[in-house]
Amino acid sequence: MTDSGRESLVPFGIAEVTGLSMVPTLLHGDQLLVHYGGPLRPGDVAVLRHPLQQDLLIVKRLIERQDAGWWVLGDNPAAEGDSRVFGAVPVELVLGRVRARYRPVTPGRQRSAGVVLSWLFSAVRPVFSDRSASRASWRLRAR
């Protein structure tokens, strides 16, 4: 995940997804609108610093708030690199909530008005909270 590095100066920023841990919600190359310092709830998708490598930003779903921090999971159960590996993430490492994502226009694709309108309709989407995420985490952690 790459980021504009402005999380403490402005309330919104842009980040880019790298990797497959949030498939199908987010795809490699998606651009994210991140609300830094905004309110966080279980089920939200958030950008955070990796607890073991804090210069690395990651994007995960917030599952539940614990005494030690947030339990986070990727939406792709086959991908590693979430709280099942590194435990709860301290609250101060959670930078912001993802509000929307868009998929860049495919390079070399025709740029007619119809193609651009089709892209706008299909590529720009809000990223919603998943209220069932906290219930699913209990099954995942019980394995």
Side-chain angles (χ1 to χ4, degrees), residues 113-132:
V115 168
V116 171
L117 285 174
S118 174
W119 171 81
L120 280 172
F121 182 72
S122 67
V124 178
R125 295 270 191 245
V127 176
F128 295 110
S129 297
D130 182 358
R131 294 290 162 229
S132 65

Side-chain angles (χ1 to χ4, degrees), residues 41-89:
R41 302 177 308 202
D44 288 346
V45 175
V47 172
L48 50 135
R49 294 193 183 282
H50 193 289
L52 304 177
Q53 187 181 350
Q54 293 182 15
D55 60 336
L56 175 66
L57 297 180
I58 58 177
V59 59
K60 302 292 176 203
R61 190 169 301 278
L62 304 175
I63 302 302
E64 72 177 342
R65 178 82 182 264
Q66 302 175 344
D67 290 338
W70 282 98
W71 188 264
V72 299
L73 294 175
D75 284 359
N76 180 355
E80 294 183 359
D82 54 28
S83 288
R84 295 173 290 175
V85 174
F86 49 70
V89 177

Side-chain angles (χ1 to χ4, degrees), residues 6-68:
R6 303 174 128 229
E7 62 269 7
S8 63
L9 301 176
V10 294
F12 290 94
I14 302 293
E16 180 178 350
V17 175
T18 57
L20 303 174
S21 72
M22 288 300 292
V23 169
T25 306
L26 303 173
L27 302 178
H28 179 81
D30 281 354
Q31 303 290 311
L32 306 176
L33 176 64
V34 181
H35 182 190
Y36 294 110
L40 301 170
R41 302 177 308 202
D44 288 346
V45 175
V47 172
L48 50 135
R49 294 193 183 282
H50 193 289
L52 304 177
Q53 187 181 350
Q54 293 182 15
D55 60 336
L56 175 66
L57 297 180
I58 58 177
V59 59
K60 302 292 176 203
R61 190 169 301 278
L62 304 175
I63 302 302
E64 72 177 342
R65 178 82 182 264
Q66 302 175 344
D67 290 338

